[in-house]
Amino acid sequence: MAGQTYLPIEILDYVQGHAPPEESPFGISQKELARALGYHPCSMSRPLESLVEDGLLEAKRRLVRDGIRKQLTYRLTESGRLKLRRETREVPILSGEIPAPPHPFLGRREELSILLEYIRGGQDATVLIDGPPGMGKTALVSRHLRDTRRGRIPFWFTVRSSSSPRQFVTALAHSLQSLGSQQLAYYSQLPKPPTAKEVADLARRALKDTQLVAVVDDTHLAPAELRRFLREFAQGLMKGDGHRLYFISQEAALPDIQDAPTHRLTVGGLDRVSAHDLTDRAGGLSDRFETIYQSTMGSPLLLNLAVRNPDVAGPVSALPSGVLRRLPEHELQAVLPLAIANEPLPLSFLTEGGVLTALRIQELGRMGILHPTLQGHVEVLQVVRGAMLNQARPSQEHAAHLRLASYYGRSHRPDSVRLRFVHLVEGEAWKSALQLLAQSEKILLSLGYSEALRNAVRHLSTALPRGPARIRALNAEVKLLRQHANYAEAITFLRRAIEESGHDPGLTCQAQLAIVDLLLRLRQIPEAEAEFERAKQHGALNRRIQAFLLLAQARLTDVKGAKREAEDQFRSAFEYSRKNRITDLALESIAAWTNLVEVYAGRHEESLRVIAEALPEARAEGRMDLVFNLLLVRSRAYTFTGRIDLAEQEMNSVRSEAESLGYVNQLAYALSGLTALASLDGRLEAAANYARQAIALAERLGNDMVLGHTLGLLCSVELRSADSSKQPEMISDSILHGERSVEILGRLSPSDSLASAHAYLAEAYNAKKDNGKALEHFGTAMALAYELGLEWIKSSLNQELPSLAAAFGSLVQAPTTEAAKT
């Protein structure tokens, strides 16, 4: 229950970072807070009442994102902000403050001048700063920013070996919260892995006309996943708005970043005069100065250690180890967690247990072992950290990991839960780690993929004895791999789980059905069919497996193009899952079913009725991805039944909520839908504007369906614009976009979007008087409409292009006539 003490502070922190703008109709509910912080909703009631009574939170009834009725929602008061600022020092909450430079700051005039030259002119600048440990790279950058950060939003992120892209996004959202960065804050909570370009886009939108100055320290510790994310984030952020990014590393931090001025500065030691001044201020080295200066290569950290520990014998390179050997074992054990955590920790952390007093901590600071930060925390600098880790025994490291696990257990923020799990595994507390995995798997996976978490889960699955516990760890790794879209490796681990279970029928069948879904994502349809047949041999061992079998069968049928049959199968899967209260499978089935009913069957009123029934349950379950899918289908149904106003109202609602919550993929669908609706209403300029926004977003997301569909719509819009404005040259642009549309959609499964794109091209080529091309695309559109049962496309083609319809009819009938004569 240690975390409960800190719950009010976490509530204040979450509300500050995620509060919607004043004009927003939505607010933060008790259920949202509970889900984000990992508590049961009922346990939130008393802390929330207390915070409202104390004047730290304001409660007001508003619409909420996870419900359909108005509920109590919460906003931070000014007193709450002051309280949060005072109290967050003792709780693991991400911060992005720039550390203070040493006082006095000596030397580095040349390096400061170079950095100043790099940013002259106010243009975008990416600066890579590298050099050996202990040379003062962090101090140099913090001193440089003291004079150059004015008017900019500062952000400092120190990389740890366990850092993930999700933690970077969470920290960035925390730093931008003063600008009202709600979209970025909500994006950081989404279950899918963050996309660097989406994050850069949301950050730029939050910043508007304000410039960002961001520093990523210790970049050399970043796992490959985070390095790739940082590189793409930099590319997405640098669009000529004058932002600055600094990467600090012990090695070449990142390769040159495209589309941004990139500068590199390698930092060496202090010059002789500055080194002499530094040591003199600390007591002087007398006749030893020249020898020590040469052997330390002017490293400020080693010079400080030498002057503060004059009685430590041995070469200067071994000075950190020599200083640490002077510490009693219990003191070394007390400070070892600082080296392992690789981040500053509160002073109170070191004084817990009574091993170190505040006076002794000050003395360790004077020795150069500990370093205080501006926020009242304490850290171990890199050179000393390396020596400390080399000197520690495995048993000491395990004990330090367990102390850190206890510390991070004080907070229920997802990043703290994850760090607690990683430290429990590293401390070889297998039972506690497994319990945390069982209790908080959803929270542990909510931050997305990271090598540190995956290594911890793999370590746990290897260490645990064969049985259900090991299978749970393997399944957690499968989920992690699926989040990372590493479907092939996820299949490998599902097969390993089958082996570990001794081919238990129930587990084997569920694993095989999960493999079917992954194989379909990989477009390996024959393999998916074979796997499904193997799963079927086990039979319906329980109701969940029966529901899963029905859903997998429907997915296979859908992918093979038998839409009518797939519709019936999705409906059966839905009805069975709902009857047996298997909510997740019921919602997945109904979302797929309503789309097929609407697009391929045209039973609009039926789909509207089912959507109305499914929406409240999808919202209650927090499945916003399915909520948006259902709303998009409902807008389409309104369109086909002539209720354009309702359709546009629905689509604008999707756009607003998706934008507010950071669901960027659904935002792309909404913009594409608004393109179609504006086109239907004759607002061609608005339609073209929506189309360009949707295309740009879909290209950034790699969403080929939205991209191809919207390019087809733009083809139609430009063709009509050419006719209304009497500008025939626009027909060429229309054809260009139409051809690109069919090229992209042609790589996917046959769809109504592909049929429509060919129809738009037939119309464009017909306007250009290219009858051959027009007839070719007309025929392709008709063939797809027949194949997929799209009666509305056939009807539209016959009405809009009667001359092509007649010519196409003659071509189809001619072979039949010749055969009859024979």
Side-chain angles (χ1 to χ4, degrees), residues 317-396:
S317 59
L319 188 57
S321 299
V323 172
L324 290 171
R325 276 195 294 270
R326 297 173 63 194
L327 297 184
E329 185 169 321
H330 64 280
E331 288 190 354
L332 179 65
Q333 185 68 58
V335 296
L336 183 58
L338 284 175
I340 290 173
N342 195 23
E343 70 169 329
L345 297 177
L347 190 66
S348 59
F349 177 84
L350 287 181
T351 57
E352 286 173 358
V355 174
L356 293 174
T357 63
L359 194 63
R360 181 57 176 163
I361 290 170
Q362 287 181 3
E363 190 176 339
L364 293 176
R366 285 193 293 271
M367 292 170 64
I369 295 174
L370 301 180
H371 181 76
T373 70
L374 186 65
Q375 294 78 32
H377 287 41
V378 185
E379 64 179 337
V380 176
L381 298 184
Q382 188 63 40
V383 172
V384 177
R385 177 184 297 129
M388 197 177 291
L389 292 174
N390 288 334
Q391 196 167 313
R393 298 191 302 273
S395 59
Q396 291 176 313

Side-chain angles (χ1 to χ4, degrees), residues 425 430 454-467 469-471 473-474 477 493 496 500:
V425 173
W430 311 125
R454 185 179 175 193
N455 289 340
V457 173
R458 181 173 291 179
H459 193 175
L460 183 62
S461 67
T462 304
L464 289 170
R466 186 168 185 156
R470 181 182 286 189
I471 292 169
L474 286 169
E477 186 162 8
F493 278 87
R496 184 181 158 194
E500 292 285 349

Side-chain angles (χ1 to χ4, degrees), residues 767-805:
K768 197 180 178 182
K769 310 299 183 188
D770 187 338
N771 292 333
K773 285 277 191 181
L775 197 56
E776 176 188 336
H777 286 288
F778 185 95
T780 306
M782 272 292 192
L784 284 165
Y786 274 102
E787 178 188 345
L788 300 173
L790 300 168
E791 295 295 333
W792 54 275
I793 287 186
K794 290 188 283 183
S795 174
S796 175
L797 283 167
N798 285 320
Q799 288 177 14
E800 297 293 330
L801 299 168
S803 61
L804 287 178

Side-chain angles (χ1 to χ4, degrees), residues 87 120 213 394 484:
E87 297 295 331
R120 205 176 294 281
V213 55
H484 192 52

